[in-house]
């Protein structure tokens, strides 16, 4: 059983600690932003079961890989990033996860 007051407590604690990109702006803060937003989305999903939160978590995971690849090679185009083996593997992994839960 979900204790909504516990989830609200954690959301309230997490929200002010999510990095503000205006304050940082480097790749490390992007990773921290994605990780904290993914946790926030997970807590919201546990609370309301809205599947859009799962989609958002997936997006944060892909974006993190994109950031890492972009950090290593700033010359990659968006198309190259979308077709990069690490991104493709992550998408396949996530699709396999979905299949196992449906």
């Amino acid at each position: 059983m979900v204790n909504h007051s516990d989830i609200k407590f954690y959301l309230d604690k997490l929200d002010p600690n999510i990095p503000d990109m205006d304050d940082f702006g480097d790749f490390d803060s992007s990773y921290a932003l994605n990780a904290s937003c993914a946790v926030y989305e997970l807590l919201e999903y546990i609370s309301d079961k809205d599947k859009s939160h799962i989609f958002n978590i997936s997006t944060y995971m892909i974006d993190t890989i994109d950031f890492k690849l972009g950090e290593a090679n700033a010359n990659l185009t968006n198309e190259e990033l979308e077709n990069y083996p690490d991104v493709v593997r992550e998408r396949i992994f996530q699709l396999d996860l979905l299949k196992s839960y449906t």
Side-chain angles (χ1 to χ4, degrees):
M1 179 172 196
V2 175
N3 185 331
H4 293 281
S5 63
D6 282 349
I7 291 175
K8 176 152 179 29
F9 171 81
Y10 290 120
L11 288 171
D12 289 345
K13 292 288 187 188
L14 178 60
D15 188 48
N17 291 294
I18 294 174
D20 185 339
M21 294 307 293
D22 292 336
D23 294 336
F24 300 100
D26 62 359
F27 283 105
D28 288 341
S29 61
S30 295
Y31 304 141
L33 174 67
N34 284 353
S36 55
C37 287
V39 170
Y40 195 93
E41 292 283 346
L42 178 60
L43 289 168
E44 287 193 322
Y45 173 75
I46 291 169
S47 177
D48 64 18
K49 300 298 186 215
D50 181 342
K51 292 181 182 174
S52 68
H53 299 300
I54 301 300
F55 175 79
N56 293 337
I57 292 168
S58 172
T59 301
Y60 292 129
M61 293 168 69
I62 297 294
D63 286 350
T64 299
I65 294 169
D66 280 357
F67 295 152
K68 189 68 175 171
L69 293 171
E71 182 180 23
N73 185 349
N75 296 325
L76 289 174
T77 66
N78 284 339
E79 185 176 333
E80 290 171 323
L81 283 171
E82 286 184 19
N83 293 304
Y84 204 86
D86 293 348
V87 173
V88 172
R89 270 192 299 277
E90 180 62 28
R91 285 195 178 113
I92 291 169
F93 173 74
Q94 290 183 29
L95 288 170
D96 287 343
L97 279 175
L98 281 174
K99 287 178 195 173
S100 70
Y101 288 102
T102 56

